[in-house]
Coordinates of all heavy atoms in Angstrom, one line a residue:
M1 N -21.1 -201.5 31.2 CA -21.9 -202.8 31.2 C -21.2 -203.8 30.3 O -20.6 -203.5 29.2 CB -23.3 -202.4 30.7 CG -24.2 -203.6 30.5 SD -25.9 -203.6 30.0 CE -26.1 -202.2 29.1
V2 N -21.4 -205.0 30.6 CA -20.9 -206.2 29.9 C -21.8 -206.6 28.8 O -23.0 -206.8 29.2 CB -20.5 -207.4 30.9 CG1 -20.0 -208.6 30.1 CG2 -19.5 -206.9 31.9
N3 N -21.4 -206.8 27.7 CA -22.2 -207.4 26.6 C -22.2 -208.8 26.8 O -21.3 -209.6 26.7 CB -21.7 -207.0 25.2 CG -22.6 -207.6 24.1 OD1 -23.7 -208.1 24.4 ND2 -22.0 -207.4 22.9
L4 N -23.4 -209.4 27.0 CA -23.5 -210.8 27.4 C -23.5 -211.8 26.3 O -23.1 -212.9 26.4 CB -24.9 -211.0 28.2 CG -24.9 -210.5 29.5 CD1 -26.3 -210.8 30.2 CD2 -23.8 -211.0 30.4
V5 N -24.0 -211.4 25.1 CA -24.0 -212.3 24.0 C -22.7 -212.3 23.3 O -22.2 -211.3 22.8 CB -25.2 -211.9 23.0 CG1 -25.3 -212.9 21.9 CG2 -26.5 -211.9 23.8
T6 N -22.1 -213.4 23.1 CA -20.7 -213.7 22.5 C -20.8 -214.8 21.6 O -21.3 -215.8 21.9 CB -19.7 -213.9 23.6 OG1 -20.0 -215.2 24.2 CG2 -19.6 -212.8 24.7
P7 N -20.1 -214.8 20.4 CA -20.4 -213.8 19.4 C -21.8 -214.0 18.9 O -22.3 -215.0 19.0 CB -19.4 -214.1 18.3 CG -19.0 -215.6 18.6 CD -19.3 -215.8 20.1
K8 N -22.4 -212.9 18.3 CA -23.8 -213.0 17.9 C -23.8 -213.9 16.7 O -23.0 -213.7 15.8 CB -24.3 -211.6 17.6 CG -24.7 -210.9 18.7 CD -25.9 -210.0 18.3 CE -26.5 -209.4 19.6 NZ -27.9 -209.2 19.6
S9 N -24.7 -214.7 16.6 CA -25.0 -215.6 15.5 C -26.0 -214.9 14.6 O -26.6 -214.0 14.9 CB -25.5 -217.0 15.9 OG -26.8 -216.9 16.2
K10 N -26.2 -215.4 13.4 CA -27.1 -214.9 12.5 C -28.4 -215.8 12.5 O -29.2 -215.6 11.6 CB -26.5 -214.9 11.1 CG -25.2 -214.1 11.1 CD -25.2 -213.2 10.0 CE -23.8 -212.5 9.9 NZ -23.6 -211.2 10.4
A11 N -28.6 -216.6 13.5 CA -29.6 -217.5 13.5 C -30.9 -216.6 13.9 O -30.9 -215.8 14.8 CB -29.5 -218.5 14.7
P12 N -32.0 -216.8 13.1 CA -33.3 -216.1 13.4 C -33.9 -216.6 14.7 O -33.7 -217.8 15.0 CB -34.2 -216.5 12.2 CG -33.6 -217.7 11.7 CD -32.1 -217.8 12.0
M13 N -34.4 -215.6 15.5 CA -35.1 -216.0 16.7 C -36.5 -215.6 16.6 O -36.9 -214.6 16.0 CB -34.5 -215.3 17.8 CG -33.0 -215.7 18.3 SD -32.5 -214.8 19.8 CE -32.2 -213.2 19.2
S14 N -37.4 -216.4 17.4 CA -38.7 -216.1 17.5 C -38.9 -214.8 18.2 O -37.9 -214.4 19.0 CB -39.5 -217.2 18.1 OG -39.1 -217.3 19.5
G15 N -40.0 -214.2 18.0 CA -40.2 -212.9 18.8 C -40.2 -213.1 20.3 O -39.6 -212.3 21.0
S16 N -40.7 -214.2 20.7 CA -40.7 -214.5 22.2 C -39.4 -214.7 22.7 O -39.1 -214.2 23.9 CB -41.7 -215.6 22.6 OG -41.2 -216.8 21.8
L17 N -38.5 -215.3 22.1 CA -37.1 -215.5 22.6 C -36.3 -214.2 22.5 O -35.6 -213.8 23.5 CB -36.3 -216.6 21.8 CG -35.0 -216.9 22.2 CD1 -34.9 -217.5 23.7 CD2 -34.3 -217.9 21.3
A18 N -36.5 -213.5 21.4 CA -35.8 -212.2 21.3 C -36.3 -211.2 22.5 O -35.5 -210.6 23.1 CB -36.1 -211.5 19.9
Q19 N -37.6 -211.3 22.8 CA -38.2 -210.5 23.9 C -37.5 -210.9 25.2 O -37.3 -210.0 26.1 CB -39.6 -210.5 23.9 CG -40.3 -209.8 22.8 CD -41.9 -209.9 22.6 OE1 -42.4 -210.7 23.4 NE2 -42.5 -209.2 21.8
A20 N -37.5 -212.2 25.5 CA -37.0 -212.7 26.8 C -35.5 -212.3 26.9 O -35.1 -211.9 27.9 CB -37.1 -214.3 26.7
I21 N -34.7 -212.4 25.8 CA -33.3 -211.9 25.9 C -33.2 -210.4 26.2 O -32.4 -210.0 27.0 CB -32.5 -212.3 24.6 CG1 -32.3 -213.9 24.7 CG2 -31.2 -211.6 24.6 CD1 -31.6 -214.4 23.5
A22 N -34.1 -209.7 25.5 CA -34.1 -208.2 25.7 C -34.5 -207.9 27.1 O -33.9 -206.9 27.7 CB -35.1 -207.6 24.7
R23 N -35.4 -208.7 27.7 CA -35.8 -208.5 29.1 C -34.6 -208.7 30.0 O -34.4 -208.0 31.0 CB -37.0 -209.3 29.5 CG -37.4 -209.2 30.9 CD -38.6 -210.1 31.2 NE -38.9 -210.0 32.7 CZ -39.2 -211.0 33.4 NH1 -39.5 -212.2 32.9 NH2 -39.4 -211.0 34.7
C24 N -33.8 -209.8 29.7 CA -32.7 -210.1 30.5 C -31.7 -209.0 30.4 O -31.1 -208.6 31.4 CB -32.0 -211.4 30.0 SG -33.0 -212.9 30.4
E25 N -31.4 -208.5 29.2 CA -30.5 -207.3 29.1 C -30.9 -206.1 29.7 O -30.1 -205.4 30.4 CB -30.3 -207.1 27.5 CG -29.5 -208.2 26.9 CD -29.4 -208.1 25.4 OE1 -30.3 -207.3 24.8 OE2 -28.5 -208.7 24.8
A26 N -32.2 -205.7 29.7 CA -32.8 -204.6 30.4 C -32.7 -204.7 31.9 O -32.3 -203.7 32.6 CB -34.2 -204.4 30.0
T27 N -32.9 -206.0 32.5 CA -32.8 -206.0 33.9 C -31.3 -206.0 34.4 O -31.0 -205.4 35.4 CB -33.4 -207.3 34.4 OG1 -32.8 -208.5 33.9 CG2 -34.9 -207.4 34.2
Q28 N -30.4 -206.5 33.6 CA -29.0 -206.3 33.8 C -28.6 -204.9 33.8 O -27.8 -204.4 34.6 CB -28.1 -207.2 32.9 CG -26.7 -207.0 33.1 CD -25.8 -207.3 31.9 OE1 -26.2 -207.7 31.0 NE2 -24.5 -206.9 32.1
A29 N -29.1 -204.2 32.8 CA -28.7 -202.7 32.6 C -29.2 -201.9 33.8 O -28.5 -201.0 34.3 CB -29.1 -202.2 31.3
A30 N -30.4 -202.3 34.2 CA -31.0 -201.5 35.4 C -30.2 -201.8 36.7 O -29.9 -201.0 37.5 CB -32.4 -202.0 35.6
Y31 N -29.8 -203.1 36.8 CA -29.0 -203.4 38.0 C -27.6 -202.8 38.0 O -27.2 -202.1 38.9 CB -28.8 -205.0 38.0 CG -27.9 -205.4 39.3 CD1 -28.6 -205.7 40.5 CD2 -26.6 -205.5 39.1 CE1 -27.8 -206.0 41.6 CE2 -25.7 -205.9 40.2 CZ -26.4 -206.2 41.4 OH -25.6 -206.6 42.5
D32 N -27.0 -202.8 36.7 CA -25.8 -202.1 36.7 C -25.7 -200.6 36.9 O -24.8 -199.9 37.3 CB -25.1 -202.4 35.3 CG -24.7 -203.8 35.1 OD1 -24.6 -204.6 36.1 OD2 -24.5 -204.2 33.9
A33 N -27.0 -200.0 36.6 CA -27.1 -198.5 36.7 C -27.5 -198.0 38.1 O -27.4 -196.9 38.5 CB -28.1 -198.0 35.7
A34 N -28.0 -199.0 38.9 CA -28.5 -198.7 40.3 C -27.3 -198.2 41.1 O -26.1 -198.8 40.9 CB -29.1 -199.8 40.8
S35 N -27.6 -197.4 42.0 CA -26.5 -196.8 43.0 C -26.0 -198.1 43.8 O -26.8 -198.8 44.3 CB -27.2 -195.8 43.8 OG -26.3 -195.5 44.9
R36 N -24.8 -198.0 44.0 CA -24.1 -199.1 44.8 C -24.6 -199.0 46.2 O -24.5 -199.9 47.0 CB -22.6 -199.0 44.7 CG -22.0 -199.4 43.4 CD -20.6 -199.3 43.3 NE -20.1 -199.7 42.0 CZ -18.9 -200.1 41.7 NH1 -18.1 -200.4 42.6 NH2 -18.6 -200.3 40.4
D37 N -25.0 -197.7 46.6 CA -25.4 -197.5 48.0 C -26.8 -197.9 48.4 O -27.2 -197.8 49.5 CB -25.1 -196.0 48.4 CG -23.7 -195.7 48.3 OD1 -22.8 -196.5 48.6 OD2 -23.5 -194.5 47.9
D38 N -27.6 -198.2 47.3 CA -29.0 -198.6 47.5 C -29.2 -200.0 47.5 O -29.6 -200.7 46.5 CB -29.8 -197.9 46.3 CG -31.3 -197.9 46.6 OD1 -31.7 -198.6 47.5 OD2 -32.1 -197.2 45.8
D39 N -29.0 -200.6 48.7 CA -29.1 -202.0 48.8 C -30.4 -202.6 48.5 O -30.6 -203.6 47.9 CB -28.7 -202.5 50.3 CG -27.3 -202.3 50.5 OD1 -26.5 -202.3 49.5 OD2 -26.9 -202.2 51.7
D40 N -31.5 -201.8 48.9 CA -32.9 -202.3 48.6 C -33.2 -202.4 47.1 O -33.7 -203.3 46.7 CB -33.9 -201.4 49.3 CG -33.9 -201.5 50.8 OD1 -33.5 -202.6 51.3 OD2 -34.3 -200.5 51.5
A41 N -32.7 -201.4 46.4 CA -33.0 -201.4 44.9 C -32.1 -202.6 44.3 O -32.6 -203.2 43.4 CB -32.5 -200.1 44.3
K42 N -30.9 -202.7 44.8 CA -30.0 -203.7 44.2 C -30.7 -205.1 44.4 O -30.6 -206.0 43.5 CB -28.6 -203.7 44.8 CG -27.7 -202.6 44.4 CD -27.3 -202.9 42.9 CE -26.1 -202.2 42.5 NZ -25.6 -202.3 41.2
I43 N -31.2 -205.4 45.6 CA -31.9 -206.7 45.9 C -33.1 -206.9 44.9 O -33.2 -208.0 44.3 CB -32.3 -206.7 47.4 CG1 -31.1 -206.8 48.3 CG2 -33.3 -207.9 47.6 CD1 -31.4 -206.7 49.7
L44 N -33.9 -205.8 44.8 CA -35.1 -206.0 43.9 C -34.6 -206.2 42.5 O -35.2 -207.0 41.7 CB -36.0 -204.7 44.0 CG -36.7 -204.7 45.3 CD1 -37.4 -203.3 45.3 CD2 -37.7 -205.7 45.5
L45 N -33.6 -205.5 42.0 CA -33.2 -205.5 40.7 C -32.5 -206.9 40.4 O -32.6 -207.5 39.3 CB -32.3 -204.5 40.2 CG -32.9 -203.1 40.2 CD1 -31.9 -201.9 40.2 CD2 -33.9 -203.1 39.0
S46 N -31.8 -207.5 41.4 CA -31.2 -208.7 41.3 C -32.3 -209.9 41.2 O -32.1 -210.7 40.4 CB -30.3 -209.0 42.4 OG -29.8 -210.2 42.4
E47 N -33.3 -209.7 41.9 CA -34.4 -210.7 41.8 C -35.1 -210.6 40.5 O -35.4 -211.6 39.9 CB -35.4 -210.4 43.0 CG -34.9 -210.8 44.3 CD -35.8 -210.3 45.5 OE1 -36.9 -209.6 45.2 OE2 -35.5 -210.6 46.6
A48 N -35.3 -209.4 39.9 CA -35.9 -209.2 38.6 C -34.9 -209.8 37.6 O -35.5 -210.5 36.6 CB -36.1 -207.8 38.3
E49 N -33.6 -209.7 37.7 CA -32.7 -210.3 36.7 C -32.7 -211.8 36.8 O -32.8 -212.5 35.8 CB -31.2 -209.8 37.0 CG -30.2 -210.3 36.0 CD -28.9 -209.8 36.3 OE1 -28.5 -209.4 37.4 OE2 -28.1 -209.7 35.3
S50 N -32.8 -212.4 38.0 CA -32.9 -213.8 38.2 C -34.2 -214.3 37.6 O -34.2 -215.4 37.0 CB -32.9 -214.2 39.7 OG -31.5 -213.9 40.2
D51 N -35.3 -213.6 37.8 CA -36.6 -214.0 37.2 C -36.6 -214.0 35.8 O -37.0 -215.0 35.1 CB -37.7 -213.1 37.7 CG -38.0 -213.3 39.2 OD1 -37.6 -214.2 39.8 OD2 -38.7 -212.4 39.7
A52 N -35.9 -213.0 35.1 CA -35.8 -213.0 33.7 C -35.0 -214.1 33.1 O -35.3 -214.7 32.1 CB -35.2 -211.7 33.2
I53 N -33.9 -214.5 33.8 CA -33.1 -215.6 33.4 C -33.8 -216.9 33.5 O -33.7 -217.8 32.7 CB -31.7 -215.6 34.2 CG1 -30.9 -214.4 33.7 CG2 -31.0 -216.9 34.0 CD1 -30.3 -214.6 32.2
E54 N -34.6 -217.0 34.6 CA -35.4 -218.3 34.7 C -36.4 -218.4 33.6 O -36.6 -219.6 33.1 CB -36.0 -218.2 36.2 CG -36.8 -219.5 36.5 CD -37.3 -219.5 37.9 OE1 -36.7 -218.9 38.8 OE2 -38.3 -220.2 38.1
V55 N -37.1 -217.4 33.3 CA -38.1 -217.5 32.2 C -37.4 -217.8 31.0 O -37.8 -218.7 30.2 CB -38.8 -216.1 32.1 CG1 -39.5 -216.1 30.7 CG2 -39.7 -215.9 33.3
L56 N -36.2 -217.2 30.6 CA -35.5 -217.5 29.4 C -34.9 -218.9 29.4 O -35.2 -219.7 28.5 CB -34.3 -216.5 29.3 CG -33.3 -216.9 28.1 CD1 -34.1 -216.7 26.7 CD2 -32.1 -215.9 28.1
S57 N -34.5 -219.4 30.5 CA -34.0 -220.8 30.6 C -35.1 -221.8 30.3 O -34.8 -222.8 29.7 CB -33.4 -221.0 32.0 OG -32.3 -220.2 32.3
G58 N -36.3 -221.6 30.8 CA -37.3 -222.5 30.6 C -38.1 -222.4 29.4 O -39.1 -223.2 29.1
M59 N -37.8 -221.4 28.5 CA -38.6 -221.1 27.2 C -38.2 -222.1 26.3 O -37.1 -222.4 25.9 CB -38.2 -219.7 26.8 CG -39.0 -219.3 25.7 SD -38.6 -217.6 25.2 CE -39.6 -216.8 26.5
P60 N -39.2 -222.8 25.7 CA -39.0 -223.7 24.5 C -38.4 -223.0 23.4 O -38.7 -221.8 23.1 CB -40.3 -224.3 24.2 CG -41.3 -223.8 25.3 CD -40.6 -222.7 26.0
C61 N -37.6 -223.7 22.6 CA -37.1 -223.1 21.3 C -37.7 -223.8 20.1 O -38.0 -225.0 20.1 CB -35.6 -223.3 21.3 SG -34.7 -222.3 22.6
A62 N -38.0 -222.9 19.1 CA -38.5 -223.5 17.8 C -37.6 -224.3 17.0 O -38.0 -225.1 16.1 CB -39.1 -222.3 17.1
S63 N -36.3 -224.1 17.1 CA -35.3 -224.8 16.3 C -34.0 -225.0 17.1 O -33.8 -224.4 18.2 CB -35.1 -224.0 15.1 OG -34.4 -222.9 15.4
D64 N -33.2 -225.9 16.6 CA -31.8 -226.1 17.2 C -31.1 -224.8 17.2 O -30.3 -224.4 18.1 CB -31.1 -227.2 16.5 CG -31.7 -228.6 17.0 OD1 -32.5 -228.6 17.9 OD2 -31.4 -229.6 16.3
A65 N -31.1 -224.1 16.0 CA -30.4 -222.8 16.0 C -30.8 -221.8 17.0 O -30.0 -221.2 17.6 CB -30.7 -222.3 14.6
E66 N -32.1 -221.8 17.3 CA -32.7 -220.9 18.3 C -32.2 -221.3 19.7 O -31.8 -220.5 20.5 CB -34.1 -220.8 18.2 CG -34.8 -219.7 19.1 CD -36.3 -219.6 18.9 OE1 -36.7 -219.0 17.9 OE2 -37.0 -220.2 19.6
F67 N -32.1 -222.6 19.9 CA -31.7 -223.2 21.2 C -30.3 -222.8 21.3 O -29.8 -222.5 22.4 CB -31.9 -224.7 21.1 CG -31.4 -225.4 22.3 CD1 -31.8 -225.2 23.6 CD2 -30.3 -226.4 22.2 CE1 -31.4 -225.8 24.7 CE2 -29.8 -227.0 23.3 CZ -30.3 -226.7 24.6
L68 N -29.4 -222.9 20.3 CA -27.9 -222.6 20.4 C -27.8 -221.1 20.8 O -27.0 -220.7 21.5 CB -27.2 -222.9 19.2 CG -27.1 -224.4 19.1 CD1 -26.4 -224.8 17.7 CD2 -26.3 -225.0 20.1
E69 N -28.6 -220.2 20.2 CA -28.6 -218.8 20.5 C -28.9 -218.6 22.0 O -28.2 -217.8 22.6 CB -29.5 -218.1 19.5 CG -29.3 -216.5 19.7 CD -27.9 -216.1 19.3 OE1 -27.3 -216.6 18.5 OE2 -27.6 -214.9 19.9
K70 N -29.9 -219.2 22.4 CA -30.3 -219.1 23.9 C -29.1 -219.7 24.7 O -28.8 -218.9 25.7 CB -31.5 -219.8 24.2 CG -31.9 -219.8 25.7 CD -33.3 -220.4 26.0 CE -33.4 -221.9 25.9 NZ -34.6 -222.4 26.5
L71 N -28.6 -220.7 24.3 CA -27.4 -221.3 25.2 C -26.2 -220.3 25.1 O -25.5 -220.1 26.1 CB -27.0 -222.6 24.7 CG -27.8 -223.8 25.0 CD1 -27.3 -225.1 24.4 CD2 -28.1 -223.9 26.5
R72 N -26.0 -219.7 23.9 CA -24.9 -218.7 23.8 C -25.1 -217.5 24.8 O -24.1 -217.1 25.5 CB -24.8 -218.2 22.3 CG -23.6 -217.2 22.1 CD -23.7 -216.6 20.7 NE -24.3 -217.5 19.7 CZ -23.7 -218.5 19.0 NH1 -22.6 -218.8 19.3 NH2 -24.3 -219.2 18.1
Y73 N -26.3 -217.1 24.9 CA -26.6 -216.0 25.8 C -26.4 -216.4 27.3 O -25.9 -215.7 28.1 CB -28.0 -215.5 25.6 CG -28.4 -214.3 26.5 CD1 -28.0 -213.0 26.1 CD2 -28.9 -214.4 27.7 CE1 -28.3 -211.9 26.9 CE2 -29.1 -213.3 28.5 CZ -28.8 -212.1 28.1 OH -29.0 -211.0 28.9
L74 N -27.0 -217.6 27.6 CA -27.0 -218.0 29.0 C -25.5 -218.4 29.4 O -25.1 -218.1 30.6 CB -27.9 -219.2 29.2 CG -29.3 -219.0 29.0 CD1 -30.1 -220.4 29.1 CD2 -29.8 -218.1 30.1
H75 N -24.7 -218.9 28.5 CA -23.4 -219.2 28.8 C -22.6 -217.9 29.2 O -21.9 -217.8 30.2 CB -22.7 -219.9 27.6 CG -21.3 -220.2 27.8 ND1 -20.3 -219.5 27.3 CD2 -20.7 -221.3 28.4 CE1 -19.1 -220.0 27.6 NE2 -19.4 -221.1 28.3
A76 N -22.8 -216.9 28.4 CA -22.2 -215.6 28.7 C -22.7 -215.0 30.0 O -21.9 -214.4 30.8 CB -22.4 -214.5 27.5
Y77 N -24.0 -215.2 30.3 CA -24.5 -214.7 31.6 C -23.8 -215.4 32.7 O -23.4 -214.7 33.7 CB -26.0 -214.9 31.5 CG -26.6 -214.7 32.9 CD1 -27.0 -213.5 33.4 CD2 -26.9 -215.9 33.7 CE1 -27.5 -213.3 34.6 CE2 -27.5 -215.8 35.0 CZ -27.8 -214.5 35.4 OH -28.4 -214.4 36.6
E78 N -23.7 -216.6 32.6 CA -23.1 -217.4 33.8 C -21.6 -217.1 33.9 O -21.1 -217.0 35.0 CB -23.3 -219.0 33.5 CG -24.7 -219.4 33.5 CD -25.3 -219.4 34.9 OE1 -24.6 -219.2 35.9 OE2 -26.6 -219.5 35.0
I79 N -20.9 -216.9 32.8 CA -19.5 -216.5 32.9 C -19.3 -215.1 33.6 O -18.5 -214.9 34.4 CB -18.8 -216.4 31.5 CG1 -18.6 -217.9 31.1 CG2 -17.5 -215.6 31.6 CD1 -18.0 -218.1 29.7
R80 N -20.3 -214.2 33.3 CA -20.3 -212.9 33.9 C -20.5 -213.0 35.4 O -19.8 -212.3 36.2 CB -21.4 -211.9 33.3 CG -21.4 -210.6 33.9 CD -22.5 -209.7 33.4 NE -23.8 -210.0 33.8 CZ -24.4 -209.6 34.9 NH1 -23.7 -208.9 35.8 NH2 -25.6 -209.9 35.2
L81 N -21.4 -213.9 35.8 CA -21.6 -214.1 37.3 C -20.4 -214.8 38.0 O -20.1 -214.4 39.1 CB -22.8 -215.0 37.5 CG -24.2 -214.4 37.2 CD1 -25.3 -215.4 37.5 CD2 -24.4 -213.0 38.0
G82 N -19.8 -215.9 37.5 CA -18.9 -216.6 38.3 C -17.7 -217.0 37.5 O -17.0 -217.8 38.1
G83 N -17.5 -216.5 36.4 CA -16.2 -216.9 35.6 C -16.5 -218.2 34.9 O -17.6 -218.7 35.0
K84 N -15.4 -218.7 34.3 CA -15.5 -220.0 33.4 C -15.8 -221.1 34.4 O -15.4 -221.1 35.6 CB -14.3 -220.1 32.6 CG -14.0 -219.1 31.7 CD -13.4 -219.7 30.4 CE -13.3 -218.6 29.4 NZ -14.0 -218.9 28.3
P85 N -16.5 -222.1 33.9 CA -16.8 -223.3 34.9 C -15.6 -224.1 35.1 O -14.5 -224.1 34.4 CB -17.7 -224.1 33.9 CG -17.5 -223.7 32.5 CD -17.1 -222.3 32.5
T86 N -15.6 -224.7 36.3 CA -14.5 -225.5 36.8 C -14.9 -227.0 36.9 O -14.1 -227.7 37.4 CB -14.1 -225.0 38.2 OG1 -15.1 -225.2 39.1 CG2 -13.6 -223.5 38.1
G87 N -16.1 -227.3 36.5 CA -16.5 -228.7 36.5 C -17.4 -229.0 37.8 O -17.8 -230.1 37.9
R88 N -17.6 -228.0 38.6 CA -18.6 -228.2 39.7 C -20.0 -228.0 39.1 O -20.2 -228.1 38.0 CB -18.3 -227.4 40.8 CG -16.8 -227.7 41.3 CD -16.7 -226.9 42.7 NE -15.4 -227.4 43.2 CZ -14.4 -226.4 43.3 NH1 -14.5 -225.2 42.9 NH2 -13.2 -226.7 43.8
H89 N -21.0 -227.6 40.0 CA -22.3 -227.5 39.6 C -22.6 -226.0 39.1 O -23.6 -225.4 39.7 CB -23.3 -227.9 40.7 CG -23.1 -229.4 41.0 ND1 -23.3 -230.3 40.0 CD2 -22.9 -230.1 42.1 CE1 -23.1 -231.5 40.5 NE2 -22.9 -231.4 41.8
E90 N -21.9 -225.5 38.3 CA -22.1 -224.1 37.9 C -23.1 -224.2 36.7 O -23.4 -225.2 36.2 CB -20.9 -223.4 37.4 CG -19.8 -223.3 38.5 CD -18.6 -224.1 38.4 OE1 -18.6 -225.0 37.5 OE2 -17.7 -223.9 39.0
F91 N -23.4 -223.0 36.3 CA -24.2 -222.7 34.9 C -25.5 -223.3 35.0 O -26.0 -224.0 34.2 CB -23.4 -223.3 33.7 CG -22.2 -222.4 33.4 CD1 -21.4 -221.8 34.3 CD2 -21.9 -222.3 32.0 CE1 -20.3 -221.0 33.9 CE2 -20.8 -221.3 31.6 CZ -20.1 -220.8 32.6
G92 N -26.2 -223.1 36.1 CA -27.5 -223.6 36.4 C -28.5 -223.3 35.3 O -29.3 -224.1 34.9
S93 N -28.5 -222.0 34.8 CA -29.5 -221.6 33.8 C -29.2 -222.4 32.5 O -30.2 -222.8 31.8 CB -29.4 -220.1 33.4 OG -28.2 -219.8 32.8
V94 N -27.9 -222.7 32.1 CA -27.7 -223.5 30.9 C -28.2 -224.9 31.0 O -28.9 -225.5 30.1 CB -26.1 -223.5 30.6 CG1 -25.8 -224.4 29.5 CG2 -25.6 -222.1 30.4
V95 N -28.0 -225.5 32.3 CA -28.5 -226.8 32.5 C -30.0 -226.9 32.4 O -30.6 -227.8 31.8 CB -28.0 -227.3 34.0 CG1 -28.8 -228.6 34.3 CG2 -26.5 -227.5 34.0
L96 N -30.7 -225.9 33.0 CA -32.2 -225.8 32.9 C -32.6 -225.7 31.4 O -33.6 -226.3 31.0 CB -32.7 -224.6 33.7 CG -32.7 -224.7 35.2 CD1 -33.0 -223.5 35.9 CD2 -33.5 -225.9 35.7
A97 N -31.9 -224.9 30.6 CA -32.3 -224.8 29.2 C -32.2 -226.1 28.4 O -33.0 -226.4 27.6 CB -31.4 -223.6 28.6
V98 N -31.0 -226.7 28.7 CA -30.8 -228.0 28.1 C -31.9 -229.1 28.4 O -32.5 -229.7 27.6 CB -29.4 -228.6 28.4 CG1 -29.2 -230.0 28.0 CG2 -28.3 -227.7 27.8
D99 N -32.2 -229.1 29.8 CA -33.3 -230.0 30.2 C -34.6 -229.6 29.6 O -35.3 -230.5 29.0 CB -33.4 -229.9 31.7 CG -34.5 -230.9 32.3 OD1 -34.3 -232.0 32.1 OD2 -35.5 -230.4 32.8
C100 N -34.9 -228.3 29.5 CA -36.2 -227.9 28.9 C -36.2 -228.3 27.3 O -37.3 -228.9 26.8 CB -36.3 -226.4 29.0 SG -37.8 -225.7 28.1
H101 N -35.1 -228.2 26.7 CA -35.1 -228.5 25.2 C -35.2 -229.9 24.9 O -35.8 -230.4 24.0 CB -33.8 -227.9 24.7 CG -33.7 -228.0 23.2 ND1 -34.4 -227.2 22.4 CD2 -33.0 -228.8 22.3 CE1 -34.2 -227.4 21.1 NE2 -33.3 -228.5 21.0
F102 N -34.6 -230.7 25.8 CA -34.5 -232.2 25.5 C -35.5 -233.0 26.2 O -35.8 -234.2 26.0 CB -33.1 -232.8 25.8 CG -32.2 -232.3 24.8 CD1 -31.1 -231.5 25.2 CD2 -32.1 -232.6 23.5 CE1 -30.1 -231.0 24.3 CE2 -31.2 -232.2 22.5 CZ -30.2 -231.4 23.0
S103 N -36.3 -232.4 27.2 CA -37.4 -233.2 27.8 C -38.6 -233.2 27.0 O -38.9 -232.2 26.3 CB -37.7 -232.5 29.2 OG -36.6 -232.6 30.0
P104 N -39.4 -234.2 27.0 CA -40.7 -234.2 26.3 C -41.6 -233.2 26.9 O -41.6 -233.0 28.1 CB -41.1 -235.6 26.5 CG -40.4 -236.2 27.6 CD -39.1 -235.5 27.8
P105 N -42.5 -232.6 26.0 CA -43.4 -231.7 26.6 C -44.4 -232.4 27.6 O -44.6 -233.5 27.5 CB -44.2 -231.1 25.4 CG -43.8 -232.1 24.2 CD -42.7 -232.9 24.6
P106 N -44.9 -231.6 28.6 CA -45.7 -232.2 29.6 C -47.0 -232.7 28.9 O -47.5 -232.1 27.9 CB -46.1 -231.0 30.5 CG -45.4 -229.9 30.0 CD -44.6 -230.2 28.8
A107 N -47.6 -233.9 29.3 CA -48.7 -234.4 28.8 C -50.1 -233.7 29.3 O -50.1 -233.1 30.2 CB -48.8 -235.9 29.1

């Protein structure tokens, strides 16, 4: 299994952010552990992993340090999926996280 968080910062995280990252790591581990021959399981686990990343991407952060920790995790996730960015429209989860952080809260 690939460790997604590179390098770990010492920034404190809220319990909800830590739980969301733990959920992402658990869904990735389950996907990695699934049999390569079980297509149905792989599809379900891939969907669960995508859902976990989507929740993490849209989660508000309590501080800039927490936001950077979330971006660090999402950046490593996106590299695992598709390699380093080339300037096209990659790293969707990172873009969603930035938008969530800098957009005003809904009225």
Side-chain angles (χ1 to χ4, degrees):
M1 173 171 30
V2 175
N3 181 6
L4 291 182
V5 181
T6 62
K8 278 215 178 215
S9 78
K10 305 231 188 255
M13 286 189 288
S14 66
S16 58
L17 183 63
Q19 288 174 352
I21 289 175
R23 179 179 172 218
C24 291
E25 290 173 340
T27 59
Q28 179 206 348
Y31 181 87
D32 291 345
S35 169
R36 292 181 186 206
D37 299 329
D38 191 348
D39 290 339
D40 291 337
K42 285 287 201 183
I43 290 169
L44 289 174
L45 291 167
S46 177
E47 290 172 357
E49 184 179 26
S50 293
D51 290 346
I53 288 293
E54 186 175 327
V55 167
L56 176 61
S57 296
M59 181 175 284
C61 294
S63 67
D64 287 344
E66 191 174 275
F67 177 61
L68 289 174
E69 187 61 28
K70 178 170 74 167
L71 285 181
R72 185 185 330 280
Y73 184 86
L74 293 173
H75 181 260
Y77 168 80
E78 295 290 350
I79 286 174
R80 182 178 73 83
L81 287 182
K84 294 215 179 239
T86 62
R88 297 194 180 111
H89 296 304
E90 299 112 344
F91 287 38
S93 66
V94 176
V95 171
L96 290 173
V98 169
D99 182 61
C100 176
H101 187 72
F102 290 114
S103 293

